[in-house]
Amino acid sequence: DIVMTQTPLSSPVTLGQPASISCRSSQSLVRSDGNTYLSWLQQRPGQPPRLLIYKISNRFSGVPDRFSGSGAGTDFTLKISRVAAEDVGIYYCMQGSQSPWTFGQGTKVEIK
Amino acid sequence: EVQLVESGGGLVQPGGSLRLSCAASGFTFSTYWMTWVRQTPAKGLEWVASIKEDGSEKYYVGSVRGRFTISRDNAKNSLYLQMNSLRAEDTAVYYCAKNGDYDLDVWGKGTTVTVSS
């Protein structure tokens, strides 16, 4: 199984400041069709996960443009350009390139 | 509005069975793969099982293969997870999710399963 490792596990940030989360996979996520199926999910307190970013860098419907994704191969990054109060929660990366689909352990974003 | 609503969770003894349901609305259910994911504080998010649009293909994580069965009824816009021989380690919040392009683009609110004597 592909292991997804996120860093940091906790990220205290000041409102309006940027935040960055890294995700590394134990194998390349480039699938045979040439696509890389790395997505990012947000889980606000008491809520289910919600898709933010798919295929590395594509924002899902309704996701604010302060969220962006980048990376390739085995190294990926989620950036929040200016953290807002509603961004508090846990962020997960997920790979869908190889079965079984696997998730990172989560990064908690909290306000300083 | 696209919506997924899970039900059927509860307290069950080890070795017991439970059937989870997921009612889908707001999209053409029969044209999407569907997935069950579970979450625990200890292990985080874990993909459990997925099923093809017409139910002809099913995939399971190793720890549940042979004990859990995913199924669907496209006429009722419903997804199911039959869980047998339940163990303490199956205790989790179970989410129903709609598959996108090798991602999970809509999630239900979840239903809690507790396996304990």
Side-chain angles (χ1 to χ4, degrees), chain A residues 31 33 37 39 41 43 47-51 54-55 60 92 94-97 99-101 103-104, chain B residues 35 37 39 44-47 50 59-61 95 99-110:
Chain A
R31 198 178 152 91
D33 62 5
Y37 296 103
S39 56
L41 302 159
Q43 187 171 30
Q47 296 292 316
R50 161 200 178 201
L51 180 65
Y54 62 96
K55 285 198 287 188
F60 189 58
Y92 299 92
M94 189 200 92
Q95 68 82 18
S97 291
S99 184
W101 295 1
F103 298 85
Chain B
T35 290
V37 174
Q39 184 173 31
L45 291 165
E46 182 181 37
W47 169 80
S50 294
Y59 300 94
Y60 301 92
V61 68
Y95 295 103
N99 288 41
D101 191 6
Y102 295 95
D103 55 54
L104 299 170
D105 62 7
V106 180
W107 295 62
K109 290 186 174 0

mmCIF file of all heavy atoms in Angstrom, chain A residues 31 33 37 39 41 43 47-51 54-55 60 92 94-97 99-101 103-104, chain B residues 35 37 39 44-47 50 59-61 95 99-110:
data_model
loop_
_atom_site.group_PDB
_atom_site.id
_atom_site.type_symbol
_atom_site.label_atom_id
_atom_site.label_comp_id
_atom_site.label_asym_id
_atom_site.label_seq_id
_atom_site.Cartn_x
_atom_site.Cartn_y
_atom_site.Cartn_z
ATOM 1 N N ARG A 31 -0.200 7.802 -12.528
ATOM 2 C CA ARG A 31 -0.903 6.596 -12.940
ATOM 3 C C ARG A 31 -0.594 6.282 -14.401
ATOM 4 O O ARG A 31 -0.063 7.125 -15.120
ATOM 5 C CB ARG A 31 -2.406 6.826 -12.730
ATOM 6 C CG ARG A 31 -3.269 5.598 -12.700
ATOM 7 C CD ARG A 31 -4.728 5.946 -12.427
ATOM 8 N NE ARG A 31 -5.625 4.973 -13.014
ATOM 9 C CZ ARG A 31 -6.075 3.902 -12.404
ATOM 10 N NH1 ARG A 31 -5.721 3.669 -11.150
ATOM 11 N NH2 ARG A 31 -6.885 3.063 -13.017
ATOM 12 N N ASP A 33 -2.373 6.287 -16.895
ATOM 13 C CA ASP A 33 -3.017 7.198 -17.852
ATOM 14 C C ASP A 33 -2.325 8.557 -17.912
ATOM 15 O O ASP A 33 -2.788 9.464 -18.595
ATOM 16 C CB ASP A 33 -4.501 7.367 -17.503
ATOM 17 C CG ASP A 33 -4.750 7.985 -16.131
ATOM 18 O OD1 ASP A 33 -3.754 8.385 -15.478
ATOM 19 O OD2 ASP A 33 -5.899 8.066 -15.701
ATOM 20 N N TYR A 37 -3.359 11.327 -9.256
ATOM 21 C CA TYR A 37 -4.600 11.476 -8.508
ATOM 22 C C TYR A 37 -4.320 11.742 -7.027
ATOM 23 O O TYR A 37 -4.503 10.890 -6.160
ATOM 24 C CB TYR A 37 -5.481 10.252 -8.714
ATOM 25 C CG TYR A 37 -5.912 10.113 -10.159
ATOM 26 C CD1 TYR A 37 -5.299 9.181 -11.008
ATOM 27 C CD2 TYR A 37 -6.888 10.951 -10.698
ATOM 28 C CE1 TYR A 37 -5.675 9.083 -12.334
ATOM 29 C CE2 TYR A 37 -7.266 10.850 -12.025
ATOM 30 C CZ TYR A 37 -6.653 9.921 -12.844
ATOM 31 O OH TYR A 37 -7.020 9.824 -14.157
ATOM 32 N N SER A 39 -5.373 14.302 -4.053
ATOM 33 C CA SER A 39 -6.382 15.278 -3.654
ATOM 34 C C SER A 39 -6.153 15.721 -2.211
ATOM 35 O O SER A 39 -5.421 15.075 -1.449
ATOM 36 C CB SER A 39 -7.791 14.705 -3.831
ATOM 37 O OG SER A 39 -7.949 13.488 -3.125
ATOM 38 N N LEU A 41 -8.302 17.208 1.253
ATOM 39 C CA LEU A 41 -9.588 17.287 1.920
ATOM 40 C C LEU A 41 -9.460 18.164 3.160
ATOM 41 O O LEU A 41 -8.398 18.184 3.806
ATOM 42 C CB LEU A 41 -10.042 15.889 2.349
ATOM 43 C CG LEU A 41 -10.175 14.845 1.245
ATOM 44 C CD1 LEU A 41 -10.113 13.445 1.820
ATOM 45 C CD2 LEU A 41 -11.464 15.046 0.484
ATOM 46 N N GLN A 43 -11.377 18.950 6.872
ATOM 47 C CA GLN A 43 -12.389 18.508 7.833
ATOM 48 C C GLN A 43 -12.474 19.529 8.957
ATOM 49 O O GLN A 43 -11.579 19.600 9.814
ATOM 50 C CB GLN A 43 -12.079 17.119 8.384
ATOM 51 C CG GLN A 43 -13.208 16.559 9.250
ATOM 52 C CD GLN A 43 -13.001 15.102 9.627
ATOM 53 O OE1 GLN A 43 -11.875 14.627 9.747
ATOM 54 N NE2 GLN A 43 -14.099 14.363 9.820
ATOM 55 N N GLN A 47 -17.432 18.141 11.466
ATOM 56 C CA GLN A 47 -17.963 18.001 10.106
ATOM 57 C C GLN A 47 -17.307 16.825 9.392
ATOM 58 O O GLN A 47 -16.224 16.369 9.779
ATOM 59 C CB GLN A 47 -17.697 19.279 9.312
ATOM 60 C CG GLN A 47 -18.414 20.503 9.855
ATOM 61 C CD GLN A 47 -19.909 20.405 9.689
ATOM 62 O OE1 GLN A 47 -20.415 20.013 8.639
ATOM 63 N NE2 GLN A 47 -20.640 20.732 10.744
ATOM 64 N N PRO A 48 -17.930 16.322 8.326
ATOM 65 C CA PRO A 48 -17.262 15.301 7.519
ATOM 66 C C PRO A 48 -16.181 15.943 6.658
ATOM 67 O O PRO A 48 -16.153 17.179 6.504
ATOM 68 C CB PRO A 48 -18.395 14.764 6.637
ATOM 69 C CG PRO A 48 -19.344 15.911 6.505
ATOM 70 C CD PRO A 48 -19.283 16.630 7.814
ATOM 71 N N PRO A 49 -15.296 15.145 6.096
ATOM 72 C CA PRO A 49 -14.322 15.698 5.158
ATOM 73 C C PRO A 49 -15.019 16.317 3.948
ATOM 74 O O PRO A 49 -16.134 15.936 3.581
ATOM 75 C CB PRO A 49 -13.487 14.471 4.762
ATOM 76 C CG PRO A 49 -13.653 13.508 5.888
ATOM 77 C CD PRO A 49 -15.061 13.720 6.360
ATOM 78 N N ARG A 50 -14.316 17.250 3.338
ATOM 79 C CA ARG A 50 -14.829 17.971 2.163
ATOM 80 C C ARG A 50 -13.692 18.075 1.160
ATOM 81 O O ARG A 50 -12.556 18.410 1.533
ATOM 82 C CB ARG A 50 -15.283 19.362 2.619
ATOM 83 C CG ARG A 50 -15.420 20.416 1.560
ATOM 84 C CD ARG A 50 -15.396 21.802 2.207
ATOM 85 N NE ARG A 50 -15.480 22.867 1.217
ATOM 86 C CZ ARG A 50 -15.081 24.116 1.438
ATOM 87 N NH1 ARG A 50 -14.587 24.459 2.610
ATOM 88 N NH2 ARG A 50 -15.194 25.029 0.496
ATOM 89 N N LEU A 51 -13.968 17.793 -0.106
ATOM 90 C CA LEU A 51 -12.933 17.877 -1.135
ATOM 91 C C LEU A 51 -12.584 19.335 -1.420
ATOM 92 O O LEU A 51 -13.464 20.150 -1.700
ATOM 93 C CB LEU A 51 -13.410 17.187 -2.417
ATOM 94 C CG LEU A 51 -12.432 17.189 -3.593
ATOM 95 C CD1 LEU A 51 -11.180 16.381 -3.263
ATOM 96 C CD2 LEU A 51 -13.101 16.643 -4.857
ATOM 97 N N TYR A 54 -8.343 18.522 -6.329
ATOM 98 C CA TYR A 54 -8.189 17.210 -6.954
ATOM 99 C C TYR A 54 -7.144 17.270 -8.059
ATOM 100 O O TYR A 54 -6.853 18.349 -8.590
ATOM 101 C CB TYR A 54 -9.526 16.701 -7.484
ATOM 102 C CG TYR A 54 -10.151 17.552 -8.563
ATOM 103 C CD1 TYR A 54 -9.984 17.240 -9.915
ATOM 104 C CD2 TYR A 54 -10.915 18.672 -8.247
ATOM 105 C CE1 TYR A 54 -10.539 18.016 -10.910
ATOM 106 C CE2 TYR A 54 -11.476 19.455 -9.235
ATOM 107 C CZ TYR A 54 -11.294 19.129 -10.573
ATOM 108 O OH TYR A 54 -11.853 19.906 -11.552
ATOM 109 N N LYS A 55 -6.584 16.126 -8.370
ATOM 110 C CA LYS A 55 -5.497 16.034 -9.355
ATOM 111 C C LYS A 55 -4.463 17.128 -9.145
ATOM 112 O O LYS A 55 -4.160 17.919 -10.038
ATOM 113 C CB LYS A 55 -6.058 16.025 -10.781
ATOM 114 C CG LYS A 55 -6.684 14.698 -11.149
ATOM 115 C CD LYS A 55 -6.875 14.483 -12.642
ATOM 116 C CE LYS A 55 -7.967 15.309 -13.203
ATOM 117 N NZ LYS A 55 -8.281 14.974 -14.620
ATOM 118 N N PHE A 60 -11.917 22.311 -6.277
ATOM 119 C CA PHE A 60 -13.262 21.779 -6.439
ATOM 120 C C PHE A 60 -14.252 22.941 -6.407
ATOM 121 O O PHE A 60 -13.942 24.056 -5.938
ATOM 122 C CB PHE A 60 -13.558 20.757 -5.339
ATOM 123 C CG PHE A 60 -14.840 19.992 -5.539
ATOM 124 C CD1 PHE A 60 -15.052 19.254 -6.688
ATOM 125 C CD2 PHE A 60 -15.842 20.017 -4.573
ATOM 126 C CE1 PHE A 60 -16.232 18.540 -6.877
ATOM 127 C CE2 PHE A 60 -17.026 19.315 -4.748
ATOM 128 C CZ PHE A 60 -17.222 18.590 -5.903
ATOM 129 N N TYR A 92 -6.251 16.707 5.018
ATOM 130 C CA TYR A 92 -5.735 15.398 4.639
ATOM 131 C C TYR A 92 -5.391 15.368 3.155
ATOM 132 O O TYR A 92 -6.149 15.882 2.328
ATOM 133 C CB TYR A 92 -6.781 14.308 4.878
ATOM 134 C CG TYR A 92 -7.237 14.135 6.300
ATOM 135 C CD1 TYR A 92 -8.347 14.823 6.792
ATOM 136 C CD2 TYR A 92 -6.578 13.258 7.163
ATOM 137 C CE1 TYR A 92 -8.776 14.663 8.100
ATOM 138 C CE2 TYR A 92 -7.009 13.076 8.471
ATOM 139 C CZ TYR A 92 -8.107 13.782 8.934
ATOM 140 O OH TYR A 92 -8.526 13.616 10.234
ATOM 141 N N MET A 94 -4.897 12.647 -0.015
ATOM 142 C CA MET A 94 -5.402 11.328 -0.362
ATOM 143 C C MET A 94 -4.911 10.958 -1.750
ATOM 144 O O MET A 94 -4.909 11.803 -2.651
ATOM 145 C CB MET A 94 -6.929 11.320 -0.352
ATOM 146 C CG MET A 94 -7.541 9.925 -0.481
ATOM 147 S SD MET A 94 -9.248 9.933 -1.032
ATOM 148 C CE MET A 94 -9.007 9.787 -2.806
ATOM 149 N N GLN A 95 -4.483 9.710 -1.914
ATOM 150 C CA GLN A 95 -4.071 9.278 -3.240
ATOM 151 C C GLN A 95 -5.101 8.289 -3.795
ATOM 152 O O GLN A 95 -5.540 7.376 -3.109
ATOM 153 C CB GLN A 95 -2.653 8.690 -3.237
ATOM 154 C CG GLN A 95 -2.480 7.371 -2.498
ATOM 155 C CD GLN A 95 -2.880 6.145 -3.322
ATOM 156 O OE1 GLN A 95 -2.975 6.204 -4.562
ATOM 157 N NE2 GLN A 95 -3.122 5.022 -2.638
ATOM 158 N N GLY A 96 -5.466 8.507 -5.061
ATOM 159 C CA GLY A 96 -6.389 7.603 -5.745
ATOM 160 C C GLY A 96 -5.735 6.950 -6.948
ATOM 161 O O GLY A 96 -6.411 6.407 -7.826
ATOM 162 N N SER A 97 -4.401 7.003 -6.985
ATOM 163 C CA SER A 97 -3.686 6.458 -8.146
ATOM 164 C C SER A 97 -3.544 4.948 -8.095
ATOM 165 O O SER A 97 -3.410 4.288 -9.134
ATOM 166 C CB SER A 97 -2.297 7.105 -8.250
ATOM 167 O OG SER A 97 -2.409 8.464 -8.599
ATOM 168 N N SER A 99 -4.848 1.275 -5.895
ATOM 169 C CA SER A 99 -5.682 0.670 -4.877
ATOM 170 C C SER A 99 -4.824 -0.110 -3.883
ATOM 171 O O SER A 99 -3.886 -0.800 -4.299
ATOM 172 C CB SER A 99 -6.682 -0.275 -5.547
ATOM 173 O OG SER A 99 -7.567 -0.814 -4.611
ATOM 174 N N PRO A 100 -5.106 -0.020 -2.591
ATOM 175 C CA PRO A 100 -6.191 0.739 -1.966
ATOM 176 C C PRO A 100 -5.867 2.224 -1.858
ATOM 177 O O PRO A 100 -4.719 2.610 -1.621
ATOM 178 C CB PRO A 100 -6.275 0.110 -0.564
ATOM 179 C CG PRO A 100 -4.874 -0.307 -0.261
ATOM 180 C CD PRO A 100 -4.312 -0.764 -1.581
ATOM 181 N N TRP A 101 -6.869 3.059 -2.057
ATOM 182 C CA TRP A 101 -6.689 4.487 -1.857
ATOM 183 C C TRP A 101 -6.292 4.715 -0.403
ATOM 184 O O TRP A 101 -6.818 4.077 0.508
ATOM 185 C CB TRP A 101 -7.989 5.229 -2.173
ATOM 186 C CG TRP A 101 -8.402 5.141 -3.609
ATOM 187 C CD1 TRP A 101 -7.760 4.463 -4.613
ATOM 188 C CD2 TRP A 101 -9.539 5.753 -4.193
ATOM 189 N NE1 TRP A 101 -8.450 4.615 -5.789
ATOM 190 C CE2 TRP A 101 -9.531 5.401 -5.570
ATOM 191 C CE3 TRP A 101 -10.562 6.558 -3.693
ATOM 192 C CZ2 TRP A 101 -10.516 5.848 -6.451
ATOM 193 C CZ3 TRP A 101 -11.539 6.998 -4.569
ATOM 194 C CH2 TRP A 101 -11.521 6.645 -5.934
ATOM 195 N N PHE A 103 -4.824 7.665 2.757
ATOM 196 C CA PHE A 103 -4.871 9.029 3.249
ATOM 197 C C PHE A 103 -3.632 9.342 4.085
ATOM 198 O O PHE A 103 -3.055 8.447 4.721
ATOM 199 C CB PHE A 103 -6.092 9.216 4.159
ATOM 200 C CG PHE A 103 -7.413 9.010 3.479
ATOM 201 C CD1 PHE A 103 -7.946 7.731 3.348
ATOM 202 C CD2 PHE A 103 -8.137 10.084 2.979
ATOM 203 C CE1 PHE A 103 -9.171 7.523 2.735
ATOM 204 C CE2 PHE A 103 -9.364 9.893 2.367
ATOM 205 C CZ PHE A 103 -9.885 8.612 2.242
ATOM 206 N N GLY A 104 -3.257 10.628 4.107
ATOM 207 C CA GLY A 104 -2.282 11.066 5.072
ATOM 208 C C GLY A 104 -2.894 11.091 6.467
ATOM 209 O O GLY A 104 -4.110 10.941 6.628
ATOM 210 N N THR B 35 -18.361 4.835 -2.620
ATOM 211 C CA THR B 35 -17.323 4.340 -1.702
ATOM 212 C C THR B 35 -17.765 4.484 -0.252
ATOM 213 O O THR B 35 -18.494 5.414 0.090
ATOM 214 C CB THR B 35 -16.024 5.145 -1.948
ATOM 215 O OG1 THR B 35 -15.489 4.787 -3.220
ATOM 216 C CG2 THR B 35 -14.975 4.888 -0.873
ATOM 217 N N VAL B 37 -15.900 4.973 3.483
ATOM 218 C CA VAL B 37 -14.658 5.314 4.172
ATOM 219 C C VAL B 37 -14.969 5.350 5.661
ATOM 220 O O VAL B 37 -16.055 5.776 6.056
ATOM 221 C CB VAL B 37 -14.129 6.700 3.724
ATOM 222 C CG1 VAL B 37 -12.913 7.117 4.569
ATOM 223 C CG2 VAL B 37 -13.788 6.695 2.245
ATOM 224 N N GLN B 39 -13.487 6.329 9.766
ATOM 225 C CA GLN B 39 -12.544 7.205 10.473
ATOM 226 C C GLN B 39 -12.511 6.867 11.953
ATOM 227 O O GLN B 39 -13.563 6.758 12.601
ATOM 228 C CB GLN B 39 -12.945 8.678 10.293
ATOM 229 C CG GLN B 39 -11.972 9.662 10.904
ATOM 230 C CD GLN B 39 -12.307 11.100 10.560
ATOM 231 O OE1 GLN B 39 -13.471 11.457 10.383
ATOM 232 N NE2 GLN B 39 -11.281 11.932 10.422
ATOM 233 N N GLY B 44 -7.170 7.314 11.775
ATOM 234 C CA GLY B 44 -7.528 8.345 10.818
ATOM 235 C C GLY B 44 -8.536 7.849 9.801
ATOM 236 O O GLY B 44 -9.388 7.025 10.102
ATOM 237 N N LEU B 45 -8.401 8.346 8.573
ATOM 238 C CA LEU B 45 -9.318 7.975 7.500
ATOM 239 C C LEU B 45 -8.816 6.710 6.802
ATOM 240 O O LEU B 45 -7.635 6.590 6.495
ATOM 241 C CB LEU B 45 -9.435 9.106 6.484
ATOM 242 C CG LEU B 45 -10.143 10.372 6.970
ATOM 243 C CD1 LEU B 45 -9.862 11.533 6.021
ATOM 244 C CD2 LEU B 45 -11.633 10.136 7.098
ATOM 245 N N GLU B 46 -9.735 5.787 6.554
ATOM 246 C CA GLU B 46 -9.399 4.525 5.900
ATOM 247 C C GLU B 46 -10.453 4.199 4.854
ATOM 248 O O GLU B 46 -11.643 4.091 5.165
ATOM 249 C CB GLU B 46 -9.306 3.395 6.926
ATOM 250 C CG GLU B 46 -8.921 2.057 6.324
ATOM 251 C CD GLU B 46 -8.865 0.937 7.348
ATOM 252 O OE1 GLU B 46 -9.714 0.918 8.269
ATOM 253 O OE2 GLU B 46 -7.993 0.061 7.223
ATOM 254 N N TRP B 47 -10.012 4.017 3.613
ATOM 255 C CA TRP B 47 -10.898 3.564 2.553
ATOM 256 C C TRP B 47 -11.321 2.130 2.870
ATOM 257 O O TRP B 47 -10.481 1.295 3.209
ATOM 258 C CB TRP B 47 -10.176 3.620 1.217
ATOM 259 C CG TRP B 47 -10.892 2.933 0.100
ATOM 260 C CD1 TRP B 47 -11.934 3.413 -0.627
ATOM 261 C CD2 TRP B 47 -10.641 1.622 -0.396
ATOM 262 N NE1 TRP B 47 -12.337 2.484 -1.546
ATOM 263 C CE2 TRP B 47 -11.555 1.376 -1.427
ATOM 264 C CE3 TRP B 47 -9.719 0.619 -0.060
ATOM 265 C CZ2 TRP B 47 -11.589 0.188 -2.136
ATOM 266 C CZ3 TRP B 47 -9.743 -0.571 -0.766
ATOM 267 C CH2 TRP B 47 -10.676 -0.788 -1.793
ATOM 268 N N SER B 50 -15.361 0.071 -2.406
ATOM 269 C CA SER B 50 -15.932 0.836 -3.513
ATOM 270 C C SER B 50 -16.706 -0.088 -4.427
ATOM 271 O O SER B 50 -16.401 -1.285 -4.526
ATOM 272 C CB SER B 50 -14.842 1.548 -4.326
ATOM 273 O OG SER B 50 -14.194 2.535 -3.576
ATOM 274 N N TYR B 59 -14.550 -3.590 -4.643
ATOM 275 C CA TYR B 59 -13.205 -3.667 -4.100
ATOM 276 C C TYR B 59 -13.242 -3.370 -2.611
ATOM 277 O O TYR B 59 -14.023 -2.543 -2.157
ATOM 278 C CB TYR B 59 -12.280 -2.674 -4.810
ATOM 279 C CG TYR B 59 -12.174 -2.931 -6.294
ATOM 280 C CD1 TYR B 59 -13.000 -2.267 -7.200
ATOM 281 C CD2 TYR B 59 -11.269 -3.867 -6.797
ATOM 282 C CE1 TYR B 59 -12.926 -2.520 -8.560
ATOM 283 C CE2 TYR B 59 -11.193 -4.129 -8.153
ATOM 284 C CZ TYR B 59 -12.022 -3.447 -9.021
ATOM 285 O OH TYR B 59 -11.956 -3.713 -10.366
ATOM 286 N N TYR B 60 -12.376 -4.072 -1.867
ATOM 287 C CA TYR B 60 -12.384 -3.964 -0.400
ATOM 288 C C TYR B 60 -10.951 -3.799 0.126
ATOM 289 O O TYR B 60 -10.001 -4.348 -0.442
ATOM 290 C CB TYR B 60 -12.974 -5.226 0.232
ATOM 291 C CG TYR B 60 -14.384 -5.534 -0.182
ATOM 292 C CD1 TYR B 60 -14.654 -6.354 -1.271
ATOM 293 C CD2 TYR B 60 -15.459 -5.001 0.525
ATOM 294 C CE1 TYR B 60 -15.954 -6.641 -1.659
ATOM 295 C CE2 TYR B 60 -16.769 -5.285 0.155
ATOM 296 C CZ TYR B 60 -17.002 -6.107 -0.938
ATOM 297 O OH TYR B 60 -18.288 -6.383 -1.310
ATOM 298 N N VAL B 61 -10.829 -3.110 1.252
ATOM 299 C CA VAL B 61 -9.554 -3.111 1.966
ATOM 300 C C VAL B 61 -9.376 -4.503 2.576
ATOM 301 O O VAL B 61 -10.360 -5.173 2.930
ATOM 302 C CB VAL B 61 -9.530 -2.012 3.050
ATOM 303 C CG1 VAL B 61 -10.494 -2.307 4.183
ATOM 304 C CG2 VAL B 61 -8.114 -1.813 3.559
ATOM 305 N N TYR B 95 -18.406 6.777 6.630
ATOM 306 C CA TYR B 95 -18.891 7.759 5.673
ATOM 307 C C TYR B 95 -19.171 7.098 4.338
ATOM 308 O O TYR B 95 -18.392 6.256 3.865
ATOM 309 C CB TYR B 95 -17.842 8.852 5.431
ATOM 310 C CG TYR B 95 -17.521 9.715 6.618
ATOM 311 C CD1 TYR B 95 -16.349 9.518 7.350
ATOM 312 C CD2 TYR B 95 -18.357 10.755 7.002
ATOM 313 C CE1 TYR B 95 -16.030 10.323 8.425
ATOM 314 C CE2 TYR B 95 -18.052 11.572 8.079
ATOM 315 C CZ TYR B 95 -16.884 11.350 8.788
ATOM 316 O OH TYR B 95 -16.572 12.158 9.855
ATOM 317 N N ASN B 99 -17.794 9.000 -5.705
ATOM 318 C CA ASN B 99 -16.514 9.066 -6.416
ATOM 319 C C ASN B 99 -16.549 10.139 -7.492
ATOM 320 O O ASN B 99 -17.533 10.282 -8.231
ATOM 321 C CB ASN B 99 -16.203 7.719 -7.071
ATOM 322 C CG ASN B 99 -15.816 6.658 -6.066
ATOM 323 O OD1 ASN B 99 -16.405 6.552 -5.000
ATOM 324 N ND2 ASN B 99 -14.828 5.851 -6.411
ATOM 325 N N GLY B 100 -15.415 10.861 -7.553
ATOM 326 C CA GLY B 100 -15.206 11.756 -8.676
ATOM 327 C C GLY B 100 -14.216 11.099 -9.618
ATOM 328 O O GLY B 100 -14.356 9.920 -9.952
ATOM 329 N N ASP B 101 -13.186 11.829 -9.981
ATOM 330 C CA ASP B 101 -12.157 11.318 -10.879
ATOM 331 C C ASP B 101 -11.009 10.771 -10.027
ATOM 332 O O ASP B 101 -10.022 11.450 -9.791
ATOM 333 C CB ASP B 101 -11.678 12.440 -11.801
ATOM 334 C CG ASP B 101 -10.818 11.944 -12.942
ATOM 335 O OD1 ASP B 101 -10.677 10.702 -13.088
ATOM 336 O OD2 ASP B 101 -10.278 12.786 -13.688
ATOM 337 N N TYR B 102 -11.181 9.562 -9.510
ATOM 338 C CA TYR B 102 -10.224 8.948 -8.585
ATOM 339 C C TYR B 102 -10.028 9.826 -7.351
ATOM 340 O O TYR B 102 -8.932 9.943 -6.800
ATOM 341 C CB TYR B 102 -8.881 8.649 -9.272
ATOM 342 C CG TYR B 102 -9.006 7.610 -10.350
ATOM 343 C CD1 TYR B 102 -9.189 7.980 -11.676
ATOM 344 C CD2 TYR B 102 -8.961 6.250 -10.045
ATOM 345 C CE1 TYR B 102 -9.343 7.020 -12.668
ATOM 346 C CE2 TYR B 102 -9.108 5.291 -11.030
ATOM 347 C CZ TYR B 102 -9.294 5.688 -12.340
ATOM 348 O OH TYR B 102 -9.431 4.740 -13.320
ATOM 349 N N ASP B 103 -11.126 10.469 -6.950
ATOM 350 C CA ASP B 103 -11.168 11.166 -5.673
ATOM 351 C C ASP B 103 -12.578 11.006 -5.117
ATOM 352 O O ASP B 103 -13.403 10.322 -5.721
ATOM 353 C CB ASP B 103 -10.785 12.646 -5.840
ATOM 354 C CG ASP B 103 -11.637 13.361 -6.874
ATOM 355 O OD1 ASP B 103 -12.876 13.311 -6.752
ATOM 356 O OD2 ASP B 103 -11.079 13.963 -7.815
ATOM 357 N N LEU B 104 -12.835 11.621 -3.971
ATOM 358 C CA LEU B 104 -14.139 11.501 -3.318
ATOM 359 C C LEU B 104 -14.704 12.902 -3.182
ATOM 360 O O LEU B 104 -14.256 13.670 -2.318
ATOM 361 C CB LEU B 104 -13.974 10.815 -1.960
ATOM 362 C CG LEU B 104 -13.415 9.394 -2.053
ATOM 363 C CD1 LEU B 104 -13.035 8.864 -0.683
ATOM 364 C CD2 LEU B 104 -14.426 8.472 -2.726
ATOM 365 N N ASP B 105 -15.665 13.265 -4.046
ATOM 366 C CA ASP B 105 -16.039 14.665 -4.150
ATOM 367 C C ASP B 105 -17.259 15.085 -3.343
ATOM 368 O O ASP B 105 -17.526 16.275 -3.220
ATOM 369 C CB ASP B 105 -16.165 15.083 -5.629
ATOM 370 C CG ASP B 105 -17.242 14.330 -6.383
ATOM 371 O OD1 ASP B 105 -18.004 13.568 -5.756
ATOM 372 O OD2 ASP B 105 -17.319 14.506 -7.622
ATOM 373 N N VAL B 106 -17.994 14.130 -2.820
ATOM 374 C CA VAL B 106 -19.095 14.456 -1.920
ATOM 375 C C VAL B 106 -19.134 13.403 -0.816
ATOM 376 O O VAL B 106 -19.015 12.209 -1.104
ATOM 377 C CB VAL B 106 -20.460 14.470 -2.647
ATOM 378 C CG1 VAL B 106 -21.579 14.807 -1.668
ATOM 379 C CG2 VAL B 106 -20.443 15.469 -3.797
ATOM 380 N N TRP B 107 -19.282 13.875 0.419
ATOM 381 C CA TRP B 107 -19.288 12.988 1.580
ATOM 382 C C TRP B 107 -20.585 13.188 2.367
ATOM 383 O O TRP B 107 -21.109 14.297 2.472
ATOM 384 C CB TRP B 107 -18.120 13.320 2.514
ATOM 385 C CG TRP B 107 -16.761 13.077 1.947
ATOM 386 C CD1 TRP B 107 -16.188 13.675 0.854
ATOM 387 C CD2 TRP B 107 -15.764 12.190 2.477
ATOM 388 N NE1 TRP B 107 -14.914 13.200 0.658
ATOM 389 C CE2 TRP B 107 -14.624 12.297 1.652
ATOM 390 C CE3 TRP B 107 -15.717 11.327 3.572
ATOM 391 C CZ2 TRP B 107 -13.457 11.562 1.870
ATOM 392 C CZ3 TRP B 107 -14.554 10.603 3.802
ATOM 393 C CH2 TRP B 107 -13.447 10.717 2.956
ATOM 394 N N GLY B 108 -21.069 12.094 2.948
ATOM 395 C CA GLY B 108 -22.167 12.207 3.903
ATOM 396 C C GLY B 108 -21.653 12.649 5.255
ATOM 397 O O GLY B 108 -20.442 12.833 5.442
ATOM 398 N N LYS B 109 -22.556 12.805 6.187
ATOM 399 C CA LYS B 109 -22.185 13.249 7.538
ATOM 400 C C LYS B 109 -21.665 12.106 8.403
ATOM 401 O O LYS B 109 -21.067 12.347 9.445
ATOM 402 C CB LYS B 109 -23.369 13.921 8.217
ATOM 403 C CG LYS B 109 -23.734 15.281 7.632
ATOM 404 C CD LYS B 109 -24.808 15.960 8.434
ATOM 405 C CE LYS B 109 -25.168 17.362 8.035
ATOM 406 N NZ LYS B 109 -24.494 17.981 6.941
ATOM 407 N N GLY B 110 -21.906 10.887 7.990
ATOM 408 C CA GLY B 110 -21.368 9.734 8.700
ATOM 409 C C GLY B 110 -22.356 9.107 9.671
ATOM 410 O O GLY B 110 -23.305 9.748 10.128
#
